[in-house]
Amino acid sequence: MQKLSQVRTRIDKNYYYIKCLEKLIPFQKNDPDKVKLITLIGRIYAGCVTGVYSSDVLEAELVRIGKDIPFRPAGGPVKGRTLHVMTQGFAIGGHPVIVSNWIRWDKDARSSIAFTDMPAAKVPDFLKESVRESGGELFCINRRKDDISKAKELLEISAPYERVILHTHMYDTVPVLAYSNPDWNCPVYLYNHADFRFSFGFSVADRVLNMCPYDVKKTISYRGIQPGNSVWMQFPGNGQLLESEKVCEKENARKTVETLYGMEKDAKLIVSMGADFKYESIIGYDFGMFVRNVLEAYEGTAYFYVIGADRAKENWKKLEADTKGRARALGYLPREKAEELIAAADLYVVSFPMKASGATTAELYHVPYVSLHLLGRGIENYGVSAARTIPELTEKALEALRGNGEKYCGHIVGNTWSEAKWLRVWKTVRERENGHRIQKFSPHRFVKRQEYINCQLMQDQINGRDQYEAVFTSGYTGSIIQGLSKIWGME
């Protein structure tokens, strides 16, 4: 997409086709088929930018179905027991870290995790350890079940718990089906870990917990949540896995990295880390060009390594060739290897235009870091490290490389809630809820700067899923649903 008008057309097409798909729900032959179609719609909403962040209509249908799920709890909830519900949680990314840190800080609770779509063999060790130390249990619901059957099993698992916290994927309908049951009476909290995506869960969330003040406001204005139900609950530990502290020594890390990557001893090392789509070029913002400009403008030798970027993609291959190997994508690295690389760096660049974790790790090792803020989300945590434009970001990066990095060495930790403060806030939130009820919410469609940016970042990483336009025009209802299900990995 070369023009903003093309981006807007893409957003509006996304919205139009999904609304067409919603009209097929009443024609499904039974409730399991309706839920499957709603889940498919949720996947497409979450993956394709439309300006829609929640749906009272879709959730009302899920609530209707959930009310009929048979559930008779054998006993009441046990005081002090908390259940964290996840769809999946692998070793990479910040999502599982939220849950692990939450359990470790919430020491007064006996915490368990229930997965709705997770192979038990792939649950990361740090999550298992957090649950074990808490005295809780791990539950992996049978992945072959349909969502209504999963919801019934989730209700049975949930019966002994006095509160539930949802950390589920955005399209997961199982919690809505489960906790809309009239015999479920304990508080449910939804942790909003991805403010930029459509999500299910707001009809059953007695409180929506948000990572930063920006998200609190967006949850109210976009998702349509009542102001009193949207609160700030910072990421416990702010991105740093609590169990690890430091996994390496800075000096040793540098020697290891120099040997591993063949770096010159006195060269500068710049590191960034994030999912590949967070580095996509958009109109007016090109990460690859930023990398080239920094390496060309710096007077000495410098290397720029990007953890998480897909090294097989042509744009990264070209960047490596253009810079004669000084800039390269490294793909996925195990957590300890990624931390070692950040510890060895002279500068850390937060992925842009969409943020990812890593700056807290840089600060832990006293590595200067800079960050681009196009929307202002979380900018209050970055101090002088924050830049509003790429030229400003480039200037700050070069200043740090030229010897003035100390001023960019620590702004997040000072704005990170301590364990004691986090626990005080969590206690206050908990004390506000004694029961559970279905929530009314009134979503609003918004297409502003964030939607233009996210469409460009996210649309191209769907790996051919623009086929959905061809599927929609195929003319036969059955093939539409079957075709879209295949595209979105549901068959």
Side-chain angles (χ1 to χ4, degrees):
M1 291 176 280
Q2 303 298 316
K3 300 178 181 179
L4 289 178
S5 60
Q6 293 175 306
V7 180
R8 179 62 194 237
T9 297
R10 177 76 278 170
I11 293 171
D12 289 341
K13 274 190 175 183
N14 292 340
Y15 179 67
Y16 170 76
Y17 286 124
I18 295 174
K19 295 305 287 185
C20 289
L21 196 57
E22 288 184 22
K23 294 177 182 178
L24 301 178
I25 294 172
F27 298 99
Q28 303 310 297
K29 61 185 178 181
N30 54 41
D31 284 346
D33 282 354
K34 287 181 180 179
V35 172
K36 185 176 181 181
L37 179 54
I38 292 170
T39 302
L40 171 61
I41 292 169
R43 282 180 179 266
I44 300 174
Y45 259 135
C48 296
V49 176
T50 63
V52 174
Y53 292 93
S54 63
S55 173
D56 52 342
V57 174
L58 295 178
E59 292 209 29
E61 186 67 11
L62 294 172
V63 168
R64 180 193 66 77
I65 296 169
K67 286 180 177 179
D68 292 333
I69 295 175
F71 171 60
R72 293 293 183 270
V78 179
K79 185 174 177 58
R81 297 192 71 181
T82 298
L83 181 67
H84 295 262
V85 181
M86 304 178 71
T87 308
Q88 298 174 340
F90 298 101
I92 60 174
H95 178 215
V97 175
I98 293 171
V99 181
S100 179
N101 288 1
W102 196 303
I103 292 172
R104 287 179 178 274
W105 271 4
D106 196 12
K107 295 182 180 69
D108 291 338
R110 182 179 170 189
S111 299
S112 299
I113 302 175
F115 292 99
T116 65
D117 187 29
M118 181 74 180
K122 294 187 177 181
V123 177
D125 289 340
F126 65 83
L127 271 180
K128 293 179 182 177
E129 184 63 18
S130 294
V131 170
R132 187 193 67 78
E133 290 185 4
S134 181
E137 299 176 81
L138 280 173
F139 304 94
C140 291
I141 295 172
N142 189 333
R143 304 180 74 200
R144 294 185 178 89
K145 290 183 175 181
D146 63 63
D147 282 1
I148 296 176
S149 300
K150 285 182 177 182
K152 186 177 187 302
E153 185 174 344
L154 180 59
L155 276 170
E156 292 165 354
I157 290 169
S158 305
Y161 294 88
E162 69 168 347
R163 68 181 63 89
V164 171
I165 307 168
L166 305 181
H167 308 271
T168 41
H169 286 8
M170 324 313 288
Y171 57 81
D172 196 341
T173 61
V174 174
V176 181
L177 292 165
Y179 303 119
S180 57
N181 191 284
D183 290 312
W184 177 260
N185 296 309
C186 293
V188 176
Y189 305 90
L190 172 62
Y191 197 70
N192 178 25
H193 64 271
D195 86 296
F196 58 94
R197 291 189 188 273
F198 170 92
S199 180
F200 289 131
F202 300 103
S203 59
V204 296
D206 296 292
R207 288 288 183 273
V208 180
L209 313 178
N210 301 277
M211 296 180 75
C212 68
Y214 180 96
D215 300 349
V216 174
K217 295 176 182 177
K218 184 173 178 181
T219 296
I220 295 167
S221 60
Y222 286 32
R223 303 194 196 269
I225 307 305
Q226 295 297 317
N229 286 359
S230 180
V231 299
W232 182 19
M233 191 77 216
Q234 196 181 82
F235 187 150
N238 215 359
Q240 183 69 26
L241 188 63
L242 296 177
E243 67 161 9
S244 59
E245 295 298 328
K246 290 186 177 182
V247 301
C248 60
E249 292 297 327
K250 188 174 177 67
E251 185 175 342
N252 292 336
R254 180 68 186 208
K255 292 178 181 177
T256 300
V257 168
E258 286 176 352
T259 301
L260 182 62
Y261 294 101
M263 289 174 47
E264 297 177 25
K265 185 175 179 57
D266 296 325
K268 297 291 186 179
L269 173 61
I270 310 162
V271 173
S272 188
M273 179 172 69
D276 190 82
F277 80 93
K278 295 183 178 182
Y279 297 97
E280 290 284 352
S281 297
I282 64 174
I283 295 170
Y285 300 91
D286 186 317
F287 187 82
M289 186 59 67
F290 163 75
V291 172
R292 291 178 177 87
N293 289 343
V294 169
L295 293 180
E296 289 173 4
Y298 180 64
E299 295 80 2
T301 302
Y303 298 85
F304 203 128
Y305 295 154
V306 184
I307 305 166
D310 185 356
R311 57 192 307 176
K313 290 178 66 174
E314 288 303 317
N315 61 314
W316 294 108
K317 289 180 180 179
K318 186 175 188 309
L319 180 63
E320 184 170 349
D322 290 349
T323 60
K324 296 182 172 55
R326 289 192 297 142
R328 65 176 79 168
L330 302 181
Y332 162 73
L333 294 179
R335 191 177 297 273
E336 63 275 9
K337 294 297 183 183
E339 187 163 322
E340 184 176 62
L341 200 64
I342 294 172
D346 297 285
L347 176 67
Y348 182 81
V349 177
V350 180
S351 64
F352 68 80
M354 192 179 289
K355 299 294 175 284
S357 59
T360 305
T361 303
E363 188 167 331
L364 179 69
Y365 289 98
H366 204 66
V367 174
Y369 55 89
V370 292
S371 177
L372 180 68
H373 291 260
L374 301 181
L375 299 170
R377 181 177 186 264
I379 194 170
E380 64 275 2
N381 291 329
Y382 285 84
V384 297
S385 294
R388 288 285 191 178
T389 65
I390 287 185
E392 183 185 1
L393 186 76
T394 304
E395 181 182 339
K396 289 176 182 288
L398 290 170
E399 183 182 7
L401 292 174
R402 289 166 178 160
N404 198 16
E406 189 67 30
K407 67 186 285 188
Y408 301 111
C409 272
H411 312 283
I412 291 179
V413 170
N415 292 306
T416 298
W417 293 357
S418 65
E419 180 179 352
K421 179 176 179 179
W422 186 91
L423 286 169
R424 285 196 303 271
V425 175
W426 177 221
K427 182 180 179 182
T428 301
V429 171
R430 290 198 318 258
E431 288 176 346
R432 292 179 61 182
E433 295 299 329
N434 296 315
H436 173 67
R437 60 189 176 89
I438 300 301
Q439 303 293 327
K440 292 183 178 181
F441 60 103
S442 302
H444 304 280
R445 184 178 182 234
F446 280 82
V447 181
K448 296 184 178 179
R449 192 181 193 196
Q450 180 169 3
E451 286 68 45
Y452 280 82
I453 291 171
N454 289 350
C455 181
Q456 294 174 82
L457 289 174
M458 295 166 59
Q459 202 74 61
D460 291 340
Q461 62 95 29
I462 297 172
N463 298 325
R465 292 177 188 163
D466 271 358
Q467 298 172 53
Y468 71 77
E469 187 169 348
V471 172
F472 264 109
T473 58
S474 64
Y476 176 59
T477 300
S479 65
I480 289 174
I481 296 173
Q482 185 178 10
L484 288 169
S485 296
K486 185 176 180 180
I487 290 169
W488 287 88
M490 293 177 63
E491 287 191 354

